[in-house]
Amino acid sequence: MSIDEYISVVGKGPVEELKILADKLSGKVIKTINSTQMGGGVAEILNRIVPLLNELGVLTKWEVIGGSADFFSVTKKIHNALHGAPVTITDEELDLFLQNNKINMEEMDLNGDIVFIHDPQPVALIEKKEELGNKWVWRCHIDTHTPDWRLWRFLKKYIEMYDASVFSSPSFAHPLSIKKFLITPSIDPLSLKNQELSKETIDSVLGKFDIKRNKPIITQISRFDRLKDPVGVIEAYNLVKKSVDCQLILAGGTAVDDPESAEVLSEVRERTEGDPDIHVLLLETPADIEVNALQRASTIILQKSLREGFGLTVSEAMWKGKPIIASAVGGITFQITHDYNGLLTRTIEGTAYAIKELLCNPGYAKRLGRNARESAKQNLLVTRHIRDYLLLFLSLYHPGDIVYM
Ligand code: UDP
């Protein structure tokens, strides 16, 4: 993908700006590290941003930490506890977490001018910084608004060893002795997941899953994760179904670093048995065209998360001009302005009411979708995200200067 192709989407100015900023970082090597190559929003973003940084001439290498199933069970607990879910993490589990980070520290090449670590799984790799003397940034993708404080204090010791931290919302960033940057995640308008699709392609994906267009389609696409509240989605759909006919798609895949999904999927299947209008789809990874087509074929997109750092699925639906109904949680409240570019809800009943409202008022739904597309274009695209990262990287070499983002 050439960076110049983005001119057709965002115009010449933003692309020129990226080239100028990238030029200032010429010769620097960025090492970016997370816990999975595929599945979930972080991998989704890195898969787009890493090639584009390289295309801009900023040499960026991406590596993934290794770990046993036990390690990923602990990191999933850490993930949930940071989101504020009631989880108990024992000292032994934290030891296992640190042990695994130590093993990765020995096995990985952590050289590079800037080491860019994503989320808590690899956070303790920072212990290598003193020996290497390079710059380190920690990027948090999680809604840490009300974390488990014991766990936050445990992680804080490591976070404060970094040169800078990045959060998706001001309310996620608790007091830290290091610099904090606010950068919202993005989607790539030219990726297979977001590019325009022909009607034939959309229809063939619907055909593959045996979905007909004879009723309005309500869709949530998310990993099968309790924090995405698939059961709440089913309950909202059941309430709608009492008065308005429609069908529901619950589509999702799994991620290497998410051991809970199989259990959640089987619960979802159990609860939806016997309703031919509910389509529970286990998607392969990657399933970019499938996700794209399902979003485009939908009448309404739902994102009924209980917690959300930032919903990429929300941005994807907005870019496609879809009316979206999402929970008023975490980063979603930055993406959606209620009654302007989508609807925000807080309960199952509220979600059901909003679905009915949009199904019965197609003109209103269309207006929300149109505004959503414009908001996504202004704020949620990868070009803006890369600009923010380049400015962040540059700021590490100019600690006293003000950097405008
Ligand atoms: N996604 C996907 N296949 C699936 C489920 C999700 O490709 O079966 C994608 C989805 O389109 C989005 C990302 O994974 O790009 C999920 O990001 P989000 O921020 O919504 O949630 P996360 O999984 O990071 O919590």
Side-chain angles (χ1 to χ4, degrees), residues 56 69 146 172 174 188 229 237 241 250 257 283 303 344 379:
L56 280 162
T146 46
F172 301 168
H174 302 292
D188 187 338
D229 200 17
Y237 157 87
K241 196 73 174 171
L250 272 172
D257 61 348
L283 301 178
Q303 192 58 50
L344 291 174
N379 305 314

Side-chain angles (χ1 to χ4, degrees), residues 284-304:
E284 305 205 329
T285 308
D288 293 344
I289 297 282
E290 283 83 352
V291 169
N292 191 344
L294 292 172
Q295 287 169 332
R296 287 185 191 277
S298 299
T299 319
I300 295 170
I301 297 284
L302 295 185
Q303 192 58 50
K304 217 205 141 305

Side-chain angles (χ1 to χ4, degrees), residues 187 314-324 335-337 340-343 365-381:
I187 57 161
V314 173
S315 301
E316 289 158 7
M318 291 173 75
W319 174 246
K320 292 170 183 110
K322 289 289 158 182
I324 176 148
Q335 296 167 273
I336 300 276
T337 303
Y340 170 68
N341 55 11
L343 296 179
K366 200 168 174 187
R367 194 164 69 245
L368 294 179
R370 224 180 9 243
N371 291 343
R373 162 90 181 183
E374 193 49 36
S375 305
K377 185 174 174 186
Q378 295 303 326
N379 305 314
L380 301 173
L381 300 186

Side-chain angles (χ1 to χ4, degrees), residues 39-45 79 83 119 141 185-187 193-194 221-225 228 251-255 258 281-288 291-292 295 303 305 307-316 320 335:
V42 181
E44 178 76 23
I45 291 169
H79 176 94
H83 269 298
D119 278 344
H141 293 268
S186 65
I187 57 161
K193 188 170 277 170
N194 296 307
I221 295 178
S222 272
R223 288 178 297 103
F224 289 99
D225 182 322
K228 307 290 182 184
T254 54
D258 181 3
L281 313 178
L282 177 60
L283 301 178
E284 305 205 329
T285 308
D288 293 344
V291 169
N292 191 344
Q295 287 169 332
Q303 192 58 50
S305 304
R307 297 280 195 287
E308 195 64 74
F310 201 86
L312 283 193
T313 47
V314 173
S315 301
E316 289 158 7
K320 292 170 183 110
Q335 296 167 273

Side-chain angles (χ1 to χ4, degrees), residues 127-365:
E127 288 193 301
K128 193 87 173 176
K129 173 177 156 65
E130 202 177 333
E131 179 188 325
L132 296 175
N134 43 6
K135 298 196 183 291
W136 288 61
V137 178
W138 186 64
R139 205 296 181 221
C140 179
H141 293 268
I142 295 173
D143 173 354
T144 47
H145 180 55
T146 46
D148 172 320
W149 289 107
R150 176 180 161 259
L151 180 68
W152 177 257
R153 282 193 297 274
F154 167 81
L155 293 174
K156 191 176 167 203
K157 286 186 298 219
Y158 297 94
I159 298 167
E160 290 191 329
M161 292 162 76
Y162 284 75
D163 294 282
S165 56
V166 185
F167 295 86
S168 298
S169 152
S171 62
F172 301 168
H174 302 292
L176 288 172
S177 61
I178 57 168
K179 271 193 199 164
K180 292 177 281 185
F181 289 81
L182 174 62
I183 298 180
T184 46
S186 65
I187 57 161
D188 187 338
L190 302 183
S191 67
L192 288 177
K193 188 170 277 170
N194 296 307
Q195 69 188 20
E196 293 293 330
L197 290 182
S198 66
K199 185 171 178 307
E200 290 70 41
T201 308
I202 298 173
D203 285 345
S204 87
V205 170
L206 290 183
K208 175 174 153 187
F209 294 120
D210 203 19
I211 299 167
K212 299 191 179 49
R213 287 190 194 254
N214 57 346
K215 297 173 186 184
I217 301 175
I218 321 294
T219 300
Q220 174 161 302
I221 295 178
S222 272
R223 288 178 297 103
F224 289 99
D225 182 322
R226 290 193 204 291
L227 292 181
K228 307 290 182 184
D229 200 17
V231 171
V233 170
I234 296 162
E235 288 179 9
Y237 157 87
N238 284 336
L239 287 176
V240 173
K241 196 73 174 171
K242 287 182 185 169
S243 51
V244 186
D245 200 12
C246 59
Q247 51 188 327
L248 174 68
I249 299 176
L250 272 172
T254 54
V256 180
D257 61 348
D258 181 3
E260 267 175 9
S261 50
E263 195 184 304
V264 177
L265 175 61
S266 80
E267 191 179 330
V268 164
R269 287 209 160 119
E270 218 167 89
R271 283 181 179 256
T272 54
E273 238 170 24
D275 185 339
D277 284 333
I278 302 185
H279 309 273
V280 178
L281 313 178
L282 177 60
L283 301 178
E284 305 205 329
T285 308
D288 293 344
I289 297 282
E290 283 83 352
V291 169
N292 191 344
L294 292 172
Q295 287 169 332
R296 287 185 191 277
S298 299
T299 319
I300 295 170
I301 297 284
L302 295 185
Q303 192 58 50
K304 217 205 141 305
S305 304
L306 301 173
R307 297 280 195 287
E308 195 64 74
F310 201 86
L312 283 193
T313 47
V314 173
S315 301
E316 289 158 7
M318 291 173 75
W319 174 246
K320 292 170 183 110
K322 289 289 158 182
I324 176 148
I325 300 167
S327 305
V329 296
I332 291 177
T333 56
F334 275 85
Q335 296 167 273
I336 300 276
T337 303
H338 181 69
D339 197 28
Y340 170 68
N341 55 11
L343 296 179
L344 291 174
T345 59
R346 290 184 166 76
T347 59
I348 289 168
E349 292 73 18
T351 304
Y353 180 85
I355 296 172
K356 282 193 273 187
E357 192 180 9
L358 294 190
L359 289 181
C360 297
N361 294 290
Y364 178 45

Side-chain angles (χ1 to χ4, degrees), residues 74 77-79 81 87-91 93-94 148 150-151:
V74 175
K77 276 186 163 186
I78 291 178
H79 176 94
V87 181
T88 308
I89 302 171
T90 63
D91 288 344
E93 287 173 323
L94 291 179
D148 172 320
R150 176 180 161 259
L151 180 68

